[in-house]
Amino acid sequence: MRPANDARPTFLLGAGASFSSGIPLAAESVRRLAKQVYADHVLGGKTLPEHIKTSEWMAWLHGQSWFLHGDEQLAENFPLVIEHQLKPEGYRRRALLDLVALRGDIGSGYRALAELVLRGLAGTVLTTNFDISLPKALNDKQPHIRHVAEVNRAPNDFNEFNLYSRAQIVWLHGKAEQYTDRNLISETRTLDPALVQTLSPLLESTPLIVIGYRGAELSIMESLLGAAGNLRFRQGVYWCTRKGEALHPNVEALSQRLGNNFRLLEINGFDELLTELNTELVGVQRFAPAASTEAKQFDDQPVLQAGWADIDADLALTILRQYCAKLELGALDSQQLRPLMRKLGLLVDTADGEKPSVACVLLFGRTVARFFSHCVISATVDGKKRHVFDGNLISQYRSVLEWMDEEEINPVIKIKGRRKHETRTAYAERALVELLVNMIVHRDYAAAKPSVINAVPGHSVQFLNAGAQSPEASARLSLDAEGAFEPVPEFSDLRNRALCDVFFGMNAMERAGTGLTDARELTQQLGGGASFAYPPGQDTFAAALYQPEASAGSSAVARDTRPVGTYVLNMLPFASIPQDLVRLEIDGGWDALNKKVPLADAGTFVFESKTGDLWTFLPEALANTIFAGAMKGKARAIPIKDVEGDIVLQRKFSWLVRKHFEGHLAGFEGRGLIIEKTKKGYPAKRSYFTPLKGNSRPLIYDTPSRKNVRREVVKKRGEDRRAWFECEGFGYEVVRIADVWGVRIKPFYMFTGRNGVTPLPGYMRTSKATRRIKLDRNANVESDLTFWGRFLSQGAQTINIGHQHVDDLLLEGGFVTVDVQEGGLFGDSSAENRRSA
């Protein structure tokens, strides 16, 4: 429909297009004509049709020899009743004109189609109808539409036909006024060959949109659209059908003949489709001069004060790897990162060189507040306990998700089921996520206002966002006096396309425009509600979710919901791994490495002295350069997909990754974390904290809900010579679970002697561990995992353990979490029938 498409579409309209204008469809036309004929011919006009009972004329109709029985075939009787009963021609003309007479205003679809014709987006309309709805809609646009050409009003009436006509109606079956309507059986089997020949160049060069037409008439389906017309419709046939309607066999045959040139589209109706098209294309004109340049959206504009150093490249690589996986763009490594970001518009060329865009800084910035100090989410509980989520949008998204999981925000309430009480969360978790994503990606970041979330215990969660209603939203949404509106399915007003693009790629949102609709439906399914509004005069968008109605005034008892179990796996997954494992054969063992290789530049590697094999993640070319003096032949890069298919190579990969992880752990030695050694001095795959100057060691860290949380990771027990220490630690191993590589963390307690480093004898550690583990419950375990995730990542979204020369070895900054629906085995809500997630 847009002017960018060289060929304007041609429309083919059937009886369904005129239904809302009061014109009956084929089946109803058969009933009305049969009733009229029965009144006029059988009863001799003595009784008005409206006084005749259904059983009278229906029994007469069913008794006709030509009648096709069966409700599903009633419409097929339309040409039969005309041929056998509407005689002579004068009576036929009067009956048909009375049948299609307008008795009210024409439907909104015709008005919208006339608007599209006026703006040059549509031109020629073919119609099988006889009513005047279409010409009336077009003629009402005079003098702006100066002339409406009409073709085939009578035989050989082709004088006004023009391939490039601004407004043109082709009456495929003629017009009843001129006695040229073609409704008899013989007439509906073929079209005038001269008309088909006239229309062929038009149909071959333009897309054909078919609306409101069943496809029952052979004159259209064979002579014009079928094999007899010898048209391939290379611009496409777009056949629109209402939901649930079965296709006529003629349409199915057309679909098979045209193959990929035939598209079946499901619509709500002629009026709905044309009205929405007209709204979507408001202001668009085919013959208007093209606009010079479209203004960039705010999130596409460059941040001139920022540079590449202001971007967290590790986080960008992690997120955009997910983006590439979602869109099946292939694997992404650090060398391809910046070219992809240029392609996505996240890096922009300016007079001062390449600069990150607003979206790039918002998504991946290291210090977003330096450029957008207002880009925060202020969260409160009943207007108190304010928590400000800052940082980049990825960090805000993840942190707010954790905050919304808290008991105070989304509490567990008792639900009155049909037979028993159950416990559920007050809000559907997905509904909260939908509104959070909506807040992040559709916010007006040019407005210096924070986003606000307020949780009102026992009542609602409210979202308030900067962003005035756009012209597109104004045209599609119906607002009441308070600015409230009902969401329109599949309508999405993308204020920040670059942000939406990335959040779509990381599976946080979909393109269908169903976020608000889903949030409302999910909440309503649980017995709650939702509201959406653009409050007048505030340039903001407000949304709220309401928890299920309280029972007898109790905020802890409500009605109906479905359970979801959230499971935390004690594995830090890799967000990115190098594409190759590189193998080198060393000539001369460790002596050669020490003497001939600049080990300070070699980065992390593992070496097998027995075989002389060295394994590294260095790029192949760099490995050849650094190890040139000590290697045999050339380095060989082994693709990771080959590694994953070979158990021996998997062990080499795990060993090398573990060495990288231990290098990361070594950086925490200044904070008291050490790696336990075996008797031979090798890492024991365990790490634990040591005392601080002979006493307990406190650490301060942040959780999603609290800042500056104090945790004693080493506790001194006993005094003087009997003193010993209880030290928090963890075991670690590199694992592959469900095709995902990660580092599995197993928290434990190390019990040491007076020096705080040397472990106590085994039997003493076992005794103390048995007593200590009695205190651990699920809440404590989850707290431990939260702490270790925060500590090892230092609060960042990713953990770079690649270090020197290896930019692609990135761990996620948090443990794997999985949400699983816990449904009853037999479709009910009984706890005894519930399968575990």
Side-chain angles (χ1 to χ4, degrees):
M1 296 292 294
R2 295 187 182 277
N5 187 25
D6 291 337
R8 281 186 300 172
T10 298
F11 283 83
L12 169 57
L13 304 183
S18 298
F19 180 71
S20 63
S21 301
I23 309 302
L25 299 179
E28 178 61 24
S29 296
V30 171
R31 296 186 185 97
R32 294 190 186 184
L33 289 175
K35 192 174 183 179
Q36 184 69 52
V37 169
Y38 183 79
D40 293 340
H41 291 178
V42 178
L43 300 184
K46 295 181 293 184
T47 306
L48 294 174
E50 53 266 31
H51 293 163
I52 300 173
K53 303 304 179 184
T54 303
S55 60
E56 297 180 63
W57 66 265
M58 186 65 82
W60 168 81
L61 179 63
H62 285 189
Q64 302 303 308
S65 59
W66 48 263
F67 181 72
L68 299 176
H69 293 268
D71 191 58
E72 70 282 355
Q73 293 196 88
L74 185 59
E76 312 297 336
N77 286 286
F78 182 67
L80 295 172
V81 74
I82 292 176
E83 177 162 329
H84 291 283
Q85 299 298 330
L86 300 191
K87 302 174 182 178
E89 283 188 358
Y91 180 73
R92 168 177 163 182
R93 177 177 182 273
R94 285 198 311 274
L96 289 178
L97 289 179
D98 182 66
L99 181 71
V100 299
L102 284 177
R103 293 174 172 81
D105 195 13
I106 60 177
S108 58
Y110 279 119
R111 296 292 186 193
L113 180 57
E115 289 282 348
L116 295 171
V117 172
L118 175 64
R119 300 202 301 275
L121 303 180
T124 298
V125 182
L126 316 180
T127 180
T128 62
N129 302 333
F130 312 107
D131 62 274
I132 63 170
S133 302
L134 177 59
K136 176 172 173 52
L138 294 174
N139 288 322
D140 284 351
K141 289 298 178 183
Q142 291 180 343
H144 305 294
I145 297 178
R146 292 193 297 272
H147 175 67
V148 178
E150 294 190 61
V151 180
N152 202 42
R153 291 165 295 186
N156 299 314
D157 176 27
F158 311 139
N159 292 334
E160 293 192 358
F161 179 79
N162 190 321
L163 286 174
Y164 311 104
S165 178
R166 294 286 293 266
Q168 179 170 247
I169 303 173
V170 178
W171 302 96
L172 293 174
H173 289 162
K175 295 190 72 174
E177 292 95 325
Q178 277 82 17
Y179 295 91
T180 63
D181 60 283
R182 299 173 61 84
N183 285 300
L184 303 182
I185 298 174
S186 58
E187 295 170 339
T188 58
R189 285 176 179 162
T190 60
L191 275 188
D192 182 355
L195 175 61
V196 174
Q197 184 178 2
T198 300
L199 296 178
S200 291
L202 174 73
L203 296 177
E204 192 62 43
S205 59
T206 63
L208 179 65
I209 300 173
V210 184
I211 313 174
Y213 181 60
R214 293 189 310 125
E217 298 155 318
L218 294 179
S219 59
I220 305 299
M221 299 307 296
E222 285 293 332
S223 300
L224 188 63
L225 306 184
N230 198 31
L231 297 177
R232 294 301 306 169
F233 294 97
R234 290 178 173 82
Q235 301 297 327
V237 172
Y238 298 84
W239 197 285
C240 301
T241 180
R242 289 168 62 91
K243 185 175 182 180
E245 286 185 351
L247 286 183
H248 194 282
N250 291 342
V251 182
E252 293 179 344
L254 177 65
S255 172
Q256 293 177 4
R257 185 177 77 83
L258 297 184
N260 291 335
N261 291 341
F262 182 92
R263 293 286 304 278
L264 186 65
L265 305 178
E266 189 175 275
I267 65 172
N268 292 326
F270 173 73
D271 287 351
E272 292 84 352
L273 172 63
L274 269 296
T275 301
E276 290 183 13
L277 269 176
N278 187 43
T279 301
E280 184 72 19
L281 296 168
V282 64
V284 178
Q285 300 185 50
R286 175 171 291 273
F287 304 112
S292 55
T293 55
E294 184 181 357
K296 279 189 174 183
Q297 289 190 319
F298 181 72
D299 66 332
D300 286 328
Q301 297 175 15
V303 180
L304 298 178
Q305 302 82 7
W308 180 249
D310 295 301
I311 303 303
D312 186 341
D314 292 342
L315 178 61
L317 179 61
T318 299
I319 298 301
L320 293 180
R321 279 176 67 94
Q322 298 175 22
Y323 179 95
C324 290
K326 168 81 180 239
L327 299 182
E328 300 181 355
L329 299 179
L332 177 71
D333 60 29
S334 57
Q335 301 302 312
Q336 301 164 328
L337 176 62
R338 292 178 73 162
L340 176 64
M341 294 178 73
R342 294 186 191 104
K343 183 177 179 180
L344 299 181
L346 298 174
L347 295 177
V348 184
D349 285 328
T350 71
D352 296 326
E354 190 172 71
K355 297 291 183 180
S357 69
V358 171
C360 185
V361 172
L362 291 174
L363 288 165
F364 310 125
R366 296 184 185 275
T367 54
V368 176
R370 177 183 161 203
F371 308 100
F372 305 101
S373 58
H374 59 279
C375 177
V376 298
I377 297 177
S378 175
T380 57
V381 179
D382 205 14
K384 307 169 187 175
K385 302 180 181 180
R386 186 175 306 278
H387 189 114
V388 177
F389 296 96
D390 53 13
N392 56 53
L393 298 186
I394 305 299
S395 173
Q396 290 184 26
Y397 169 68
R398 292 173 174 173
S399 298
V400 176
L401 282 181
E402 293 179 357
W403 177 78
M404 291 194 302
D405 277 341
E406 293 183 8
E407 176 74 16
E408 193 171 22
I409 311 305
N410 194 9
V412 174
I413 59 178
K414 291 181 180 179
I415 305 297
K416 283 188 174 182
R418 185 174 179 181
R419 300 179 181 177
K420 61 176 68 176
H421 292 254
E422 295 185 60
T423 55
R424 304 283 189 272
T425 55
Y427 305 100
E429 294 174 353
R430 187 65 215 171
L432 290 170
V433 173
E434 290 286 1
L435 292 192
L436 172 61
V437 172
N438 181 82
M439 168 176 278
I440 291 175
V441 302
H442 296 310
R443 172 181 173 179
D444 183 359
Y445 286 95
K449 299 178 183 178
S451 295
V452 176
I453 304 175
N454 183 41
V456 182
H459 184 261
S460 61
V461 178
Q462 302 157 359
F463 299 77
L464 194 65
N465 213 20
Q469 188 182 14
S470 68
E472 292 80 5
S474 299
R476 297 295 297 273
L477 303 177
S478 299
L479 275 61
D480 64 16
E482 302 298 322
F485 65 89
E486 289 295 314
V488 176
E490 299 185 16
F491 168 66
S492 184
D493 182 19
L494 304 182
R495 191 188 302 274
N496 304 295
R497 289 186 177 275
L499 298 184
C500 292
D501 186 37
V502 173
F503 268 77
F504 170 77
M506 56 187 279
N507 292 309
M509 64 177 288
E510 291 299 329
R511 289 291 195 187
T514 58
L516 299 186
T517 304
D518 288 346
R520 180 186 62 180
E521 291 180 354
L522 286 167
T523 307
Q524 288 177 342
Q525 287 171 8
L526 306 187
S531 66
F532 312 102
Y534 286 101
Q538 296 186 26
D539 287 346
T540 57
F541 170 72
L545 299 179
Y546 302 94
Q547 74 175 59
E549 182 181 349
S551 178
S554 170
S555 62
V557 181
R559 298 188 299 268
D560 194 22
T561 185
R562 300 176 66 191
V564 173
T566 299
Y567 291 78
V568 182
L569 282 67
N570 60 324
M571 183 180 82
L572 294 171
F574 276 98
S576 171
I577 58 176
Q579 295 302 299
D580 299 306
L581 175 64
V582 176
R583 175 183 176 270
L584 302 88
E585 189 175 354
I586 301 301
D587 185 12
W590 267 111
D591 288 341
L593 286 173
N594 282 320
K595 293 177 181 178
K596 300 178 181 179
V597 175
L599 295 181
D601 298 327
T604 302
F605 61 86
V606 292
F607 177 65
E608 297 178 277
S609 56
K610 290 183 179 181
T611 62
D613 288 339
L614 183 145
W615 304 88
T616 178
F617 287 132
L618 290 179
E620 185 178 2
L622 183 59
N624 282 324
T625 300
I626 292 176
F627 292 95
M631 59 187 289
K632 298 177 184 178
K634 296 291 185 181
R636 183 168 73 91
I638 305 172
I640 290 299
K641 63 180 181 180
D642 294 340
V643 172
E644 293 174 341
D646 187 310
I647 189 65
V648 175
L649 292 177
Q650 287 185 36
R651 293 188 184 121
K652 311 300 182 188
F653 178 86
S654 299
W655 182 19
L656 179 56
V657 170
R658 188 173 71 248
K659 188 76 176 291
H660 274 273
F661 184 68
E662 288 166 351
H664 178 70
L665 295 182
F668 293 108
E669 191 169 338
R671 303 186 67 180
L673 186 72
I674 65 171
I675 298 175
E676 184 183 0
K677 304 292 185 180
T678 65
K679 292 181 179 180
K680 293 184 178 182
Y682 298 119
K685 303 180 186 177
R686 301 204 301 182
S687 186
Y688 58 91
F689 284 106
T690 56
L692 178 63
K693 297 179 180 180
N695 288 297
S696 298
R697 178 182 290 274
L699 280 182
I700 306 298
Y701 71 105
D702 296 338
T703 70
S705 58
R706 295 174 57 196
K707 289 184 178 292
N708 300 322
V709 177
R710 178 185 174 90
R711 182 185 182 98
E712 284 199 341
V713 294
V714 177
K715 296 178 181 177
K716 185 176 181 179
R717 306 295 190 185
E719 296 295 337
D720 300 330
R721 295 178 61 85
R722 303 176 68 89
W724 56 279
F725 292 91
E726 178 184 295
C727 309
E728 290 196 43
F730 61 90
Y732 56 87
E733 59 180 327
V734 177
V735 296
R736 184 167 179 247
I737 300 175
D739 296 329
V740 176
W741 287 98
V743 176
R744 183 153 57 197
I745 301 295
K746 295 183 178 180
F748 74 100
Y749 291 95
M750 175 60 77
F751 302 98
T752 68
R754 284 186 299 167
N755 66 2
V757 177
T758 305
L760 293 173
Y763 72 91
M764 295 182 67
R765 297 205 309 268
T766 300
S767 174
K768 295 181 183 300
T770 301
R771 288 197 297 269
R772 181 63 182 81
I773 205 169
K774 292 179 181 178
L775 303 176
D776 283 339
R777 298 292 184 269
N778 280 345
N780 291 343
V781 173
E782 185 175 2
S783 176
D784 288 346
L785 291 178
T786 298
F787 165 72
W788 285 116
R790 293 279 169 165
F791 178 78
L792 293 173
S793 68
Q794 294 297 285
Q797 301 298 310
T798 57
I799 307 171
N800 188 333
I801 65 173
H803 306 301
Q804 193 175 15
H805 306 308
V806 180
D807 298 324
D808 299 341
L809 197 58
L810 304 176
L811 284 167
E812 293 274 6
F815 291 94
V816 175
T817 59
V818 183
D819 291 338
V820 183
Q821 190 83 47
E822 293 187 332
L825 288 176
F826 302 109
D828 61 19
S829 60
S830 57
E832 58 267 285
N833 289 333
R834 177 155 303 124
R835 66 181 186 273
S836 70

